[in-house]
């Protein structure tokens, strides 16, 4: 089905046509239409136009009003103030437009006209290390951006740039060679993914601590470990086989955590630092031969006029160290080459901590200088802030340790399960159903708290607030959805959601309907700017409008008879579908009963 024009788009076109007819000398002037609290919409374009045409804005506005054809979209239009146009659309237009949206499986949301290929780099844990609260935002924000872009019609390539290379692997591999049974992992077919992941992490933790203790106390072991790093980088088969064992064991753990987060991570999308090893030398050669990078004190560096240290001297991006080793920049630049050349990417989105902004600024500029990025291909760091505790400081345990991500998620699920158990006493849910909904509510609460905040901002992690039924929380949205499903289930035989454009709308119905009509335009803005928080804000406002509608407009016992019952059921049903679709794009479940 073709996309459905919003009421704003329809009104804008009517005004633009009237403006051209009334004032042909104005050309294709923009009426500057926006939502208004004085009417449904307000057009402010007459003020700027009056300056250009050297006329009276109120008189120009009156001419435009006279040129508007009679129709069923605009019910009332008045000139106010210095030349504003206050526009009220008809009830019939609202319901007809919503009916067209409801008839479309995509709720009238168009697909991108000229889709490209976007690589989204997100959820980047480190091999042989536990995931902590700092890994939460990249995973949650990245997953939402992927879902939103895919729904918009973009071809999305996921990339999980895991930390799977570096000097610590020499220590771990050497220890494993000397203690070959430390990573024995006995597959238990009765174990679920979470249990298997926890066992994998327990093995890795135990091995890492033992290897570190020996590395710090035994000089001979330290030297053997350093030699093992050389073997790893040289591609020694025995060393690589053990390295792969670490990576596989870590993936068991990663996938168990991502599964708890209700996120799909696919094995082919995991391309860590090691995936670009074969490109590093060529990347450095191309940079040096082009003159983009130069040798400085033996290191291969890229300099920038606007990046200086406290002493005023230039701070370079070091691509290759003086000892021949490669830095993060070499890997990141090689990844850009791969994503542009092999994946044919038009856009590269990096969901990475804001504290790495300078690094990525220099990497992107280097790639532009050599031509790997340009007008047709751009890179963007979707930088995110820090997760804070209730005290406004970086989130730590009482002992000052970094909070393990799995502990944080488990606590959220426990809190949410308690809320679900309390609120669902009359629903007759089984313990299994309560546990399932508790997980959906708990994980949804964590995700929504993150996604409802602009990515660039820090936010406070407050579980009490997150699982509250009141305020801007996912539980509030999930409860609104479940309430609608309850109404639809309780509808009697013959009471179905049917749009009735001929019926007048109460103020709460109009407000709900106008907001429902903004869904497609909101998603377009969210996708263009990689801004999931704007979708979260839209959904919270939608749930708030629905709550007002629910309080003021009886549905199953509507005073206007069967047609009004059907029309209000129609508004309920479209609200539920919009909530469900929007929450799904944020990666949040909507339980049918809550």
């Amino acid at each position: 089905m073709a996309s459905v024009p919003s009421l704003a788009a329809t009104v804008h076109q009517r005004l633009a046509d009237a403006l051209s007819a009334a004032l042909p000398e104005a050309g294709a002037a923009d009426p500057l239409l926006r939502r208004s609290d004085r009417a449904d919409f307000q057009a402010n374009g007459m003020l700027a136009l009056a300056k250009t045409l050297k006329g009276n804005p109120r008189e120009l506005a009156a001419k435009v009003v006279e040129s508007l054809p009679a129709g069923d979209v605009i019910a009332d239009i008045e000139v106010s103030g210095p030349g504003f146009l206050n526009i009220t659309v008809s009830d019939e237009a609202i319901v007809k437009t919503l009916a067209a949206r409801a008839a479309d499986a995509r709720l009238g949301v168009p697909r991108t006209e000229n889709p490209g290929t976007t690589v989204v780099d997100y959820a980047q844990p480190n091999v042989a290390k536990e995931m902590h609260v700092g890994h939460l935002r990249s995973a949650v924000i990245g997953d939402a951006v992927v879902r939103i872009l895919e729904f918009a019609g973009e071809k999305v390539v996921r990339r999980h740039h895991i930390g799977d290379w570096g000097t610590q692997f020499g220590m771990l591999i050497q220890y494993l060679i000397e203690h070959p049974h430390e990573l024995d992992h006995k597959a238990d077919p009765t174990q679920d993914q979470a249990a298997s992941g926890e066992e994998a992490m327990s093995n890795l933790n135990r091995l890492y601590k033992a290897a570190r203790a020996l590395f710090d106390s035994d000089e001979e072991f330290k030297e053997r470990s350093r030699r093992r790093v050389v073997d790893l980088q040289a591609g020694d088969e025995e060393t690589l086989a053990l390295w792969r064992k670490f990576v596989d064991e870590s993936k068991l753990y990663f996938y168990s955590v991502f599964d708890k987060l209700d996120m799909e991570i696919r094995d082919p999308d995991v391309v860590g630092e090691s995936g670009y090893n074969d490109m590093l030398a060529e990347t450095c050669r191309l940079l040096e031969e082009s003159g983009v990078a130069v040798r400085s004190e033996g290191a291969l560096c890229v300099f920038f006029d606007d990046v200086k240290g406290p002493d005023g001297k230039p701070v370079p991006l070091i691509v290759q160290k003086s000892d021949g080793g490669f830095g993060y920049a070499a890997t990141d630049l090689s990844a850009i080459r791969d994503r542009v050349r092999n994946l044919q990417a038009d856009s590269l989105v990096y969901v990475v901590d804001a504290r790495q902004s300078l690094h990525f600024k220099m990497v992107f500029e280097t790639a532009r200088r050599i031509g790997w990025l340009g007008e047709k291909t751009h890179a963007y760091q979707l930088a995110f802030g820090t997760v804070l505790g209730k005290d406004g400081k970086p989130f730590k345990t009482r002992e000052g340790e970094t909070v393990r991500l799995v502990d944080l998620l488990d606590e959220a699920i426990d809190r949410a399960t308690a809320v679900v158990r309390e609120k669902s006493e009359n629903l007759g849910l089984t313990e299994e159903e309560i546990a399932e909904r508790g997980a959906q509510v708990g994980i949804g609460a964590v995700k929504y708290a993150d996604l409802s905040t602009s990515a660039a901002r820090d936010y406070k992690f407050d579980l009490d607030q997150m699982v509250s039924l009141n305020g801007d929380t996912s539980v509030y949205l999930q409860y609104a959805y479940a309430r609608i499903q309850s109404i639809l289930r309780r509808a009697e035989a013959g009471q179905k959601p049917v749009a009735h454009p001929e019926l007048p709308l109460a103020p709460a119905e109009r407000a709900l309907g106008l907001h429902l009509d903004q869904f497609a335009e909101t998603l377009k803005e969210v996708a263009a700017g990689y801004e999931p928080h704007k979708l979260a804000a839209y959904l919270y406002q939608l749930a708030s409008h629905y709550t007002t509608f629910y309080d003021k407009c009886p549905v199953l016992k509507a005073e206007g008879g069967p047609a009004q019952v059907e029309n209000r059921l129609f508004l309920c049903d479209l609200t539920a579908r919009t909530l469900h679709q929007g929450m799904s794009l944020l990666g949040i479940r909507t339980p049918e009963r809550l």
Side-chain angles (χ1 to χ4, degrees), residues 425-446:
E425 288 179 354
N426 299 325
L427 293 180
L429 299 179
T430 65
E431 277 300 311
E432 185 178 353
E433 289 171 327
I434 290 173
E436 179 187 18
R437 283 161 178 74
Q440 292 176 351
V441 171
I443 296 302
V446 171

Side-chain angles (χ1 to χ4, degrees), residues 413-491:
I413 291 170
D414 289 345
R415 296 276 194 98
T417 301
V419 172
V420 171
R421 178 173 280 107
E422 178 187 344
K423 296 296 181 182
S424 61
E425 288 179 354
N426 299 325
L427 293 180
L429 299 179
T430 65
E431 277 300 311
E432 185 178 353
E433 289 171 327
I434 290 173
E436 179 187 18
R437 283 161 178 74
Q440 292 176 351
V441 171
I443 296 302
V446 171
K447 287 184 174 182
Y448 187 84
D450 193 317
L451 295 169
S452 60
T453 305
S454 170
R457 291 177 52 199
D458 300 340
Y459 79 96
K460 292 182 180 180
F461 195 93
D462 183 348
L463 274 176
D464 292 330
Q465 174 57 30
M466 288 179 187
V467 299
S468 171
L469 280 168
N470 302 310
D472 188 5
T473 67
S474 69
V475 191
Y476 177 68
L477 305 185
Q478 289 169 322
Y479 187 71
Y481 176 82
R483 172 183 275 171
I484 296 172
Q485 295 307 315
S486 174
I487 291 173
L488 295 174
R489 285 193 300 271
R490 287 188 284 113

Side-chain angles (χ1 to χ4, degrees), residues 217-529:
S217 63
D218 187 331
E219 286 298 322
E220 291 183 359
F221 175 75
K222 184 180 291 187
E223 182 57 33
R224 293 196 298 274
S225 297
R226 287 170 176 161
R227 288 199 300 269
R228 187 60 58 180
V229 175
V230 177
D231 293 339
L232 177 63
Q233 293 173 339
D236 174 71
E237 278 304 317
E238 180 193 18
T239 305
L240 282 175
L242 290 170
W243 167 78
R244 290 190 192 99
K245 196 168 185 180
F246 276 113
V247 174
D248 291 343
E249 196 82 359
S250 295
K251 283 182 179 179
L252 282 173
Y253 164 67
F254 296 158
Y255 293 167
S256 72
V257 178
F258 289 130
D259 185 60
K260 186 165 289 196
L261 267 171
D262 202 11
M263 283 173 49
E264 181 188 21
I265 301 293
R266 300 182 298 222
D267 213 54
D269 302 329
V270 179
V271 183
E273 296 167 2
S274 64
Y276 305 101
N277 281 345
D278 294 343
M279 299 177 66
L280 300 181
E282 186 183 15
T283 294
C284 292
R285 179 180 63 78
L286 293 170
L287 287 168
E288 189 168 11
E289 287 179 356
S290 67
V292 171
V294 297
R295 292 288 169 180
S296 175
E297 298 179 14
L300 186 63
C301 305
V302 183
F303 290 91
F304 309 86
D305 292 337
D306 59 343
V307 182
K308 293 181 171 62
D311 57 0
K313 293 181 179 179
V315 176
L317 179 71
I318 300 175
V319 184
Q320 188 176 25
K321 302 170 189 175
S322 57
D323 64 2
F326 300 104
Y328 288 122
T331 304
D332 288 332
L333 287 164
S334 296
I336 289 176
R337 284 178 59 213
D338 174 65
R339 293 166 184 184
V340 173
R341 183 180 62 187
N342 298 328
L343 300 179
Q344 301 291 301
D346 305 290
S347 302
L348 309 177
V349 179
Y350 292 76
V351 189
V352 183
D353 193 315
R355 288 170 291 189
Q356 297 187 45
S357 292
L358 178 59
H359 169 78
F360 279 100
K361 175 185 175 183
M362 293 193 290
V363 166
F364 295 162
E365 175 58 25
T366 299
R368 276 190 286 270
R369 289 181 185 180
I370 197 171
W372 298 336
L373 295 175
E375 291 183 9
K376 294 183 178 179
T377 306
H378 76 277
Y380 175 75
Q381 183 194 357
L382 180 45
F384 56 82
T386 305
V387 181
L388 306 175
K390 291 183 182 181
D391 58 2
K393 298 177 181 178
F395 199 17
K396 302 282 187 182
T397 65
R398 290 178 180 174
E399 294 75 29
E401 299 292 326
T402 303
V403 178
R404 294 196 326 155
L405 182 53
V406 70
D407 290 342
L408 181 149
L409 298 178
D410 285 342
E411 185 178 357
I413 291 170
D414 289 345
R415 296 276 194 98
T417 301
V419 172
V420 171
R421 178 173 280 107
E422 178 187 344
K423 296 296 181 182
S424 61
E425 288 179 354
N426 299 325
L427 293 180
L429 299 179
T430 65
E431 277 300 311
E432 185 178 353
E433 289 171 327
I434 290 173
E436 179 187 18
R437 283 161 178 74
Q440 292 176 351
V441 171
I443 296 302
V446 171
K447 287 184 174 182
Y448 187 84
D450 193 317
L451 295 169
S452 60
T453 305
S454 170
R457 291 177 52 199
D458 300 340
Y459 79 96
K460 292 182 180 180
F461 195 93
D462 183 348
L463 274 176
D464 292 330
Q465 174 57 30
M466 288 179 187
V467 299
S468 171
L469 280 168
N470 302 310
D472 188 5
T473 67
S474 69
V475 191
Y476 177 68
L477 305 185
Q478 289 169 322
Y479 187 71
Y481 176 82
R483 172 183 275 171
I484 296 172
Q485 295 307 315
S486 174
I487 291 173
L488 295 174
R489 285 193 300 271
R490 287 188 284 113
E492 297 174 4
Q495 292 181 319
K496 297 180 180 179
V498 180
H500 285 276
E502 74 280 3
L503 293 179
L505 297 177
E509 291 175 296
R510 285 181 57 85
L512 177 60
L514 286 166
H515 193 72
L516 282 166
D517 187 48
Q518 291 179 307
F519 185 54
E521 291 180 345
T522 299
L523 281 183
K524 182 179 179 180
E525 182 181 356
V526 167

Side-chain angles (χ1 to χ4, degrees), residues 190-207:
T190 65
Q191 275 189 332
D192 61 16
Q193 190 168 21
S196 181
E198 287 174 12
E199 183 179 341
M201 196 64 243
S202 176
N203 285 340
L204 289 168
N205 266 343
R206 186 178 65 251
L207 186 143

Side-chain angles (χ1 to χ4, degrees), residues 1 4 97-109 151 477 480-482 484-485 488 497-499 512 516 519 523 535 538-539 542 546 569-585 588 590 592:
M1 178 177 175
V4 179
T97 300
L98 294 183
R101 292 199 179 284
D104 179 24
R106 291 175 56 84
L107 302 175
V109 178
F151 187 71
L477 305 185
Y481 176 82
I484 296 172
Q485 295 307 315
L488 295 174
V498 180
L512 177 60
L516 282 166
F519 185 54
L523 281 183
L535 174 56
Y538 170 86
L539 295 172
L542 176 59
Y546 181 78
L569 281 171
F570 163 73
L571 288 173
C572 287
D573 185 59
L574 185 56
T575 299
R577 288 174 60 193
T578 305
L579 280 170
H580 176 76
Q581 180 63 75
M583 295 285 271
S584 176
L585 293 177
I588 299 172
T590 42
E592 300 288 309

